Each structure stands twice: as structure tokens, then as C-alpha cells.
């Protein structure tokens, strides 16, 4: 699948990793994590996670261990400011009995009832004054990035950081286990009528029982946790976690539409329309990690059809013009800030994608307020041009 590129182009702000490093040093004399005390407003889940991926790619290009140190310090900051640590310090309390006041409004059972803080990270979901929730999406984005770093350290045998990597993986396992009561195998749904092979669900907010909502979660909500699960299994062998990821991938594969040269899928199985590129990036990060690590039986044909779906979103009326959704509808970016350069590794399966994500990054990144994602995108493109796809 190819598109007419119309000869137009956009230019990247940085052309070598050294230039990106200089920009980072000038802009961030203090590491970004130092200004984020906790996960309020999802600052860990949807901002600092991007910095971890940025640091990994900067190390891939430069070999400079300063980037590993920054990534390790960011992930340690996550652990130092999880809910267990914050409650121990007295940052907030969970010892009462009123849901949403002194008890989690939403969290896996039994954390909603027993006043015990989770090993993960609650958030007010970017709305000040709202009660705290603990969700697999929120935790998953953090531990997915943490697992990517820990796995990279072990794969590259970065000896000075191996102890840190093992510490991170141990905490990742605790966070995943804390959500066990929200996981269901082969759950029968009546709306829509189907059996979900495997998925986490969001816990019931009020009942205080081991119950979950009947609604099936959006595919992308589970991607970070699945990435953490497969990487933990790779390094420590955990058949239960691998089974969860395998079941979820079976659910994902059985609910996409093969149009011949691409896949199309909705945000959830309960909604019409198309997945958007922003949230699809969570899924793609997980897919690419599975392929890189030879897990979950991803094929080149399969990833080619996902790459083609992204190319399908190219509008082409002006440089860097991407649709919001994989079906070509909407205007990107809409609402949530997203850097399409995180898709760059899929260019191995459709070379047009490199031009598309490079131009979309060049055009959109300067107006982005989420610099963690922007810098992740910039490093990913430079790394692709210097080293090639990781796939």
C-alpha cells in the first residue's frame, strides 16, 4: 500500500542526537521528573512515561550512560511516589469509610474497602477535587515504560543498573498482581453478545465487593499492562502473566476487521467508528515490544496491516496532514496531544510511513504542550534514521 507524497516535505528541528541532547540540556537543567511530585493529573502516566522512552533511545544512539541514569532516576521516582509511599509519608489517608473522601473511589478489590494503599498510582484523572481512582490504564502506562527500561538494561547487560532493573521488575509484578481481582478469563458479555477471551475490567466503584463493571474496556487501556506482563515473563518466566497477554491478544485479534491490506478496529467493541491514532499508539507500543521480543506470535503480515492502517490516515492536503482516526476521519491532533513519531518502527513494513510520521512530527511537535511525547518522538525518528527499526 503506497500513497502519493506530492513532493512536499517538512524539516525536523534536530538532525543529529547531539543537537537533541543540546536542546535537552538547555531546556531541562533539572530533570522533568523533579517537577512532578506524584501522579495527580496523570503526570506520571501520560507525561513522564514518554521521557523514559526518550532516554532509552538517546542511550541507543549515543551510548552515554547519563541517559540510563536519567531513566533509572525517573522510574525510581515513580516507585518513591506510589500510593504506598505517599500514605506512609502522610500525603493522604485511606483509613476512613466514605468512598471518594477517605477511601478510593475506584480501585481493585480489596483496596476499595480495607484502607490499604495500592502499590500503584492513583490519579484524580486530571480533574482537581475529584476522588482518587486506580485503573489498569493509569498503572499500565507507568509500568509499561518501566518494564521497557528494565528489559533494555538486562538485554544490554548494563551492569551498573542491573540491580535497579531487578527492583523495577519486582515492583511491576506487585502492581500487576494488585489488579488480579479485576481480571476475567472467558467472560460472557451480553452487550455486545460475545465471550471475551481475557481482559482486565474496571472495578465497581461503590459496592465494596469483588465486582467489576460489565463494560468491556477499550483495547488501548490494557496495552501498557500487557507490555509490562510480557517483559516480566521474558526475564523471570511467569506463565500466568504470559497467559493474560496471550488471551488479551486473542481478544484483540478476533475483534478487528481485515479489509485486505489493513486492519480497522473501533475504540471499544461496544462502540462504532474507528480507533484514533493517539490511543492506538499505546497498542502499537505493546505490539512492537511483543514482536521485538518474539512473543505472542506476531507476523510481518500482521504488522504490515497495522502499518498500512496508519498510512490510510494520511490526508495529504498539506504537509504533515494526518487524520485523527485510522479510518481517515477527523483532524489530528484533536483534544489530546499525540506525537505520531512513536509509530516510526512500523515503517519497516511500509516505507511511506517514515515520511508521514516525520512530517507530522515536524509540523505538530512545535505546538505540543506535552514535551515528553514530543521529545520521545524526536528521539525515535533520529534513532530510526541512525540505527533502523527495532523490529
Amino acid at each position: 500500500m503506497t500513497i502519493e507524497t506530492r513532493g512536499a516535505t517538512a524539516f525536523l528541528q534536530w538532525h543529529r542526537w547531539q543537537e537533541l541532547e543540546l536542546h535537552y540540556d538547555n531546556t531541562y537543567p533539572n530533570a522533568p521528573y523533579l517537577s512532578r511530585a506524584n501522579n495527580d493529573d496523570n503526570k506520571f502516566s501520560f507525561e513522564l512515561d514518554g521521557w523514559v522512552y526518550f532516554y532509552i533511545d538517546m542511550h541507543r544512539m549515543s551510548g552515554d550512560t547519563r541517559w540510563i541514569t536519567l531513566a533509572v532516576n525517573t522510574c525510581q521516582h515513580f516507585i518513591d511516589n506510589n500510593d504506598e509511599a505517599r500514605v506512609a509519608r502522610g500525603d493522604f489517608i485511606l483509613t476512613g469509610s466514605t468512598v471518594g473522601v477517605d477511601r478510593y473511589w475506584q480501585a481493585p478489590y480489596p483496596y476499595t474497602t480495607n484502607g490499604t494503599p495500592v502499590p500503584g498510582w492513583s490519579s484524580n484523572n486530571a480533574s482537581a477535587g475529584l476522588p482518587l481512582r486506580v485503573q489498569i490504564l493509569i498503572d499500565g502506562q507507568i509500568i509499561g515504560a518501566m518494564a521497557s527500561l528494565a528489559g533494555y538494561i538486562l538485554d544490554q547487560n548494563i551492569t551498573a543498573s542491573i540491580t535497579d532493573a531487578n527492583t523495577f521488575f519486582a515492583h511491576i509484578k506487585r502492581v500487576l498482581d494488585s489488579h488480579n481481582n479485576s481480571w476475567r478469563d472467558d467472560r460472557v458479555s451480553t452487550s455486545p453478545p460475545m465471550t471475551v477471551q481475557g481482559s482486565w475490567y474496571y472495578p465497581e466503584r461503590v459496592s465494596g465487593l469483588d465486582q467489576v463493571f460489565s463494560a468491556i474496556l477499550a483495547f488501548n487501556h490494557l496495552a501498557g499492562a500487557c507490555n509490562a506482563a510480557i517483559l516480566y515473563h521474558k526475564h523471570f518466566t511467569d506463565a500466568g502473566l504470559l497467559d493474560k497477554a496471550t488471551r488479551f491478544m486473542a481478544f484483540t485479534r478476533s475483534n478487528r476487521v481485515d479489509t485486505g491490506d489493513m486492519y480497522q478496529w473501533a475504540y471499544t467493541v461496544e462502540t462504532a467508528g474507528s480507533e484514533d491514532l493517539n490511543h492506538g499508539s499505546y497498542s502499537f507500543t505493546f505490539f512492537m515490544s511483543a514482536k521485538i521480543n518474539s512473543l505472542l506470535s506476531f507476523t510481518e503480515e500482521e504488522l504490515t496491516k497495522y502499518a498500512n492502517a496508519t498510512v490510510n490516515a494520511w490526508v495529504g492536503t498539506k504537509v504533515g496532514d494526518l487524520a485523527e482516526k485510522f479510518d481517515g476521519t477527523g483532524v489530528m491532533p484533536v483534544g489530546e496531544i499525540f506525537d505520531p513519531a512513536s509509530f516510526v518502527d512500523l515503517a519497516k513494513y511500509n516505507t511511506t510511513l517514515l515520511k508521514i510520521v516525520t512530517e507530522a512530527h515536524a509540523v505538530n511537535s512545535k505546538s505540543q504542550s506535552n514535551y515528553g511525547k514530543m521529545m520521545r518522538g524526536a528521539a525515535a525518528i533520529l534513532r530510526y534514521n541512525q540505527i533502523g527499526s527495532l523490529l
Side-chain angles (χ1 to χ4, degrees):
M1 178 180 180
T2 58
I3 60 172
E4 171 56 52
T5 57
R6 293 169 172 79
T9 192
F11 295 97
L12 295 177
Q13 187 171 352
W14 307 285
H15 297 275
R16 301 183 305 146
W17 66 261
Q18 291 91 338
E19 296 169 6
L20 189 56
E21 178 181 52
L22 182 61
H23 172 79
Y24 177 88
D25 289 342
N26 289 337
T27 309
Y28 300 98
N30 298 309
Y33 73 85
L34 293 172
S35 65
R36 305 303 187 195
N38 53 57
N39 197 36
D40 285 350
D41 291 347
N42 294 317
K43 294 301 186 183
F44 287 3
S45 301
F46 300 110
E47 182 180 338
L48 288 183
D49 66 318
W51 286 109
V52 175
Y53 293 108
F54 165 76
Y55 295 139
I56 294 170
D57 268 340
M58 290 299 285
H59 181 265
R60 283 190 176 108
M61 289 185 286
S62 69
D64 189 338
T65 57
R66 68 170 294 209
W67 301 111
I68 296 298
T69 299
L70 282 163
V72 165
N73 289 347
T74 302
C75 289
Q76 188 59 53
H77 185 72
F78 292 153
I79 294 177
D80 291 343
N81 293 281
N82 70 354
D83 278 22
E84 286 179 338
R86 294 179 65 205
V87 168
R89 288 197 301 263
D91 292 356
F92 66 98
I93 62 170
L94 292 169
T95 56
S97 59
T98 304
V99 174
V101 177
D102 48 19
R103 207 172 75 200
Y104 288 122
W105 183 62
Q106 185 180 58
Y109 181 81
Y111 297 98
T112 46
T113 64
N114 63 8
T116 301
V118 298
W121 299 266
S122 60
S123 174
N124 56 18
N125 276 29
S127 300
L130 287 183
L132 295 178
R133 351 176 138 185
V134 180
Q135 298 177 333
I136 195 67
L137 167 64
I138 294 170
D139 280 352
Q141 290 302 107
I142 297 170
I143 62 174
M146 190 184 298
S148 295
L149 172 65
Y152 179 72
I153 289 169
L154 296 182
D155 287 340
Q156 299 298 315
N157 193 30
I158 303 173
T159 55
S161 299
I162 286 176
T163 298
D164 296 309
N166 289 330
T167 297
F168 297 156
F169 269 128
H171 195 80
I172 286 164
K173 180 65 162 61
R174 293 188 61 231
V175 173
L176 287 168
D177 286 351
S178 75
H179 288 273
N180 277 345
N181 285 321
S182 299
W183 175 270
R184 298 293 184 272
D185 285 343
D186 297 321
R187 179 168 177 162
V188 177
S189 168
T190 57
S191 178
M194 64 182 301
T195 297
V196 180
Q197 295 96 320
S199 178
W200 282 282
Y201 288 76
Y202 283 154
E204 183 65 62
R205 292 191 181 102
V206 178
S207 69
L209 303 175
D210 183 11
Q211 296 178 348
V212 293
F213 286 122
S214 60
I216 303 168
L217 283 186
F219 300 106
N220 68 77
H221 280 214
L222 308 184
C226 282
N227 185 42
I230 62 172
L231 291 175
Y232 185 91
H233 167 74
K234 174 187 175 182
H235 292 282
F236 297 95
T237 310
D238 189 308
L241 289 179
L242 179 62
D243 182 64
K244 281 183 169 65
T246 301
R247 285 177 172 272
F248 173 70
M249 202 60 225
F251 164 60
T252 299
R253 286 169 167 145
S254 63
N255 287 281
R256 65 193 181 195
V257 177
D258 188 338
T259 66
D261 61 355
M262 75 180 81
Y263 296 124
Q264 289 292 315
W265 67 103
Y267 181 75
T268 75
V269 295
E270 298 172 288
T271 56
S274 173
E275 173 70 288
D276 62 277
L277 274 68
N278 174 23
H279 291 99
S281 68
Y282 307 165
S283 296
F284 282 9
T285 296
F286 161 50
F287 295 169
M288 290 185 287
S289 177
K291 178 62 174 176
I292 290 165
N293 291 286
S294 301
L295 294 167
L296 306 182
S297 303
F298 275 88
T299 66
E300 292 203 1
E301 178 185 10
E302 187 173 21
L303 292 175
T304 297
K305 290 184 178 183
Y306 280 120
N308 289 350
T310 310
V311 172
N312 185 66
W314 187 74
V315 178
T317 56
K318 59 181 182 292
V319 174
D321 197 6
L322 272 170
E324 179 193 14
K325 299 183 178 183
F326 288 100
D327 66 359
T329 62
V331 178
M332 199 288 293
V334 174
E336 299 180 35
I337 299 300
F338 160 64
D339 197 314
S342 60
F343 290 172
V344 70
D345 282 302
L346 285 173
K348 173 179 178 179
Y349 302 111
N350 187 321
T351 56
T352 301
L353 189 57
L354 177 60
K355 176 180 173 63
I356 292 171
V357 299
T358 299
E359 292 186 352
H361 169 83
V363 170
N364 293 308
S365 63
K366 293 179 182 179
S367 62
Q368 288 184 353
S369 59
N370 190 327
Y371 293 104
K373 290 188 177 181
M374 181 193 78
M375 296 288 277
R376 175 191 179 182
I381 289 174
L382 291 178
R383 185 263 304 156
Y384 186 94
N385 290 334
Q386 176 178 319
I387 300 173
S389 175
L390 299 175
L391 295 170

